[in-house]
Amino acid sequence: MKTWLVNTNTKGENGNPNAFKYMLRQNKAAAFYDRAPEIDKIKKGDLVCLYHNQNRIIAVGSVVTPYQGHDFSDMESIEHWVDVNWLWKADFDNDFEPINYIDRNELNITMVNGTVVNVTDQVNYKELLVQIAKHQSF
């Protein structure tokens, strides 16, 4: 099992500021356009931390299905995704700002260059579970 930090790329210049909502609602981690094939590295059973702007992790989940291609070939260059069973998701305010996110620095994740980054060697899993428990809402 590997652990991946997947950036939601929600900044305006990335062309899809609402991608994080789509990923959370559709239970997937995705990459788009020229970054789309980066998702193909993620395998079934891997752990995904969905990374949002300003060091915020907004969801943690286990991959249940790796990328299997599109039924519509024109979409192949636009989006690749993996299906994820989210174990935890942040809550959001009315402006869709996360209110109980996990700061990646609290998990000692320092390397975040890229859309899909293998952070397996950086994650303290005990601390990850502690952070999920602290940020869980009922």
Side-chain angles (χ1 to χ4, degrees):
M1 175 187 90
K2 294 182 180 176
T3 300
W4 301 90
L5 196 65
V6 176
N7 194 330
T8 59
N9 287 311
T10 57
K11 292 182 180 175
E13 63 268 18
N14 293 323
N16 198 352
N18 293 305
F20 75 99
K21 296 176 204 172
Y22 166 73
M23 290 185 227
L24 293 173
R25 290 176 181 151
Q26 299 300 317
N27 296 317
K28 59 173 62 177
F32 304 93
Y33 305 107
D34 60 330
R35 296 179 178 124
E38 293 181 31
I39 283 288
D40 302 355
K41 300 180 271 188
I42 302 175
K43 306 298 181 207
K44 180 178 180 178
D46 285 353
L47 194 66
V48 170
C49 296
L50 197 59
Y51 174 74
H52 201 51
N53 303 334
Q54 301 168 348
N55 300 323
R56 300 176 295 185
I57 293 174
I58 59 170
V60 177
S62 177
V63 175
V64 293
T65 308
Y67 181 65
Q68 297 179 339
H70 270 281
D71 293 334
F72 185 56
S73 61
D74 290 347
M75 295 298 293
E76 190 70 27
S77 64
I78 296 173
E79 178 193 14
H80 288 203
W81 74 91
V82 293
D83 294 319
V84 179
N85 179 13
W86 295 119
L87 306 170
W88 169 82
K89 293 191 270 188
D91 292 323
F92 292 82
D93 66 17
N94 291 335
D95 295 321
F96 291 103
E97 288 295 321
I99 55 177
N100 62 330
Y101 61 87
I102 297 171
D103 186 314
R104 71 168 173 86
N105 294 308
E106 292 179 23
L107 299 175
N108 296 319
I109 298 173
T110 57
M111 170 65 174
V112 294
N113 296 330
T115 297
V116 179
V117 180
N118 181 346
V119 294
T120 304
D121 294 337
Q122 295 184 47
V123 175
N124 174 332
Y125 294 96
K126 180 179 178 183
E127 185 59 29
L128 175 60
L129 293 172
V130 166
Q131 291 298 320
I132 288 171
K134 280 183 182 178
H135 294 88
Q136 189 69 39
S137 62
F138 298 97

